[in-house]
Amino acid sequence: HEWWANNITAKDQADMWIHEAFTDYSETLYIESLWGKADADKYLQGLRDNIANDKPIIGQYGVRNEGSGDMYYKGANMIHTIRTVINNDEKFRQILRGLNKDFYHQTVTTQQIEKYFSDKSGIDLSSIFNQYLRTIKIPTLEYKQTGNQLTYKWTNVIPGLKLPIRLADGQELTPTEQSQTTTLKSEKPAEFNKNYYIEVKQIR
């Protein structure tokens, strides 16, 4: 359990999520290696029942203050959300391996980890880290479907959250805090990819 933290250590106790979120996520990767991605996804999603959203994952800096215990389960779900956004498992795995190579036996900050993920993925993930690490808000996608027309927007998010999501059929949405309408592939009820740690709310 301590392998990750003994390889990459947070400079400040407020950033303990660097130890615990990745270590917790290794359980999902282990399940995936044994039983496949579908079972690993279900396992990871099941961890959400343990998330309190009582306070931010990152604690106070400079006073040996840990953030919320959500650094484990919510942290792992944040990593899985980022993996889903990247949408390239080989690239994601190389980022994890690269972290352990490039930061081997170093003490690091959250900012270094954030920048590494964004640089290596080629995607600006900064607002996703801000949303999940520094607030207790869980993005809520409000939507209304009329036939094959889907109107949707983010609520309960930080300003300017950049979290594109894909429907179960692979169609991508780029929600903002302003309503948008898109044409779906069919008139069947929209199904949302459950690997994003978000809430989905249908508006009548």
Side-chain angles (χ1 to χ4, degrees):
H1 177 84
E2 293 297 337
W3 183 86
W4 181 284
N6 288 337
N7 198 52
I8 305 175
T9 302
K11 283 187 177 180
D12 191 296
Q13 201 163 340
D15 285 339
M16 279 285 288
W17 77 271
I18 295 170
H19 301 204
E20 308 302 358
F22 286 101
T23 298
D24 194 88
Y25 191 67
S26 68
E27 297 174 4
T28 298
L29 295 175
Y30 179 66
I31 291 169
E32 184 175 343
S33 73
L34 291 180
W35 294 295
K37 193 170 188 305
D39 283 341
D41 289 345
K42 289 177 185 176
Y43 174 80
L44 189 282
Q45 293 161 20
L47 297 179
R48 295 171 188 168
D49 292 338
N50 300 316
I51 297 173
N53 280 315
D54 54 346
K55 57 183 179 179
I57 287 176
I58 293 178
Q60 270 187 288
Y61 288 107
V63 290
R64 290 189 56 78
N65 173 249
E66 290 183 12
S68 171
D70 284 345
M71 68 179 79
Y72 295 88
Y73 306 122
K74 184 179 176 182
N77 270 276
M78 177 190 72
I79 293 169
H80 200 58
T81 295
I82 289 171
R83 174 183 178 178
T84 308
V85 169
I86 293 173
N87 196 29
N88 182 324
D89 282 350
E90 180 56 29
K91 179 180 284 188
F92 174 76
R93 289 175 187 276
Q94 291 305 320
I95 291 172
L96 294 185
R97 294 185 177 118
L99 282 169
N100 283 281
K101 178 182 177 183
D102 296 342
F103 296 118
Y104 178 70
H105 284 184
Q106 296 181 38
T107 55
V108 301
T109 65
T110 289
Q111 287 74 19
Q112 286 175 282
I113 301 298
E114 290 181 16
K115 185 176 186 303
Y116 193 92
F117 260 90
S118 291
D119 288 349
K120 296 300 182 181
S121 68
I123 302 169
D124 181 4
L125 300 168
S126 58
S127 65
I128 297 176
F129 282 110
N130 282 336
Q131 178 80 38
Y132 291 102
L133 293 178
R134 299 176 177 90
T135 82
I136 60 172
K137 295 179 177 181
I138 301 307
T140 300
L141 187 73
E142 292 188 353
Y143 77 98
K144 181 178 182 179
Q145 183 174 349
T146 305
N148 67 346
Q149 297 298 297
L150 185 75
T151 300
Y152 59 95
K153 69 175 182 179
W154 282 132
T155 61
N156 204 38
V157 294
I158 63 171
L161 174 67
K162 294 179 182 177
L163 174 53
I165 64 170
R166 292 184 309 282
L167 302 178
D169 64 6
Q171 185 170 348
E172 186 166 299
L173 307 178
T174 53
T176 68
E177 294 163 87
Q178 306 301 316
S179 291
Q180 302 176 61
T181 300
T182 192
T183 300
L184 299 175
K185 295 178 181 179
S186 74
E187 295 188 2
K188 294 179 180 179
E191 290 185 48
F192 296 89
N193 187 323
K194 295 180 181 179
N195 287 316
Y196 302 97
Y197 180 40
I198 63 173
E199 295 181 354
V200 176
K201 182 179 181 182
Q202 186 171 10
I203 306 299
R204 299 294 180 181

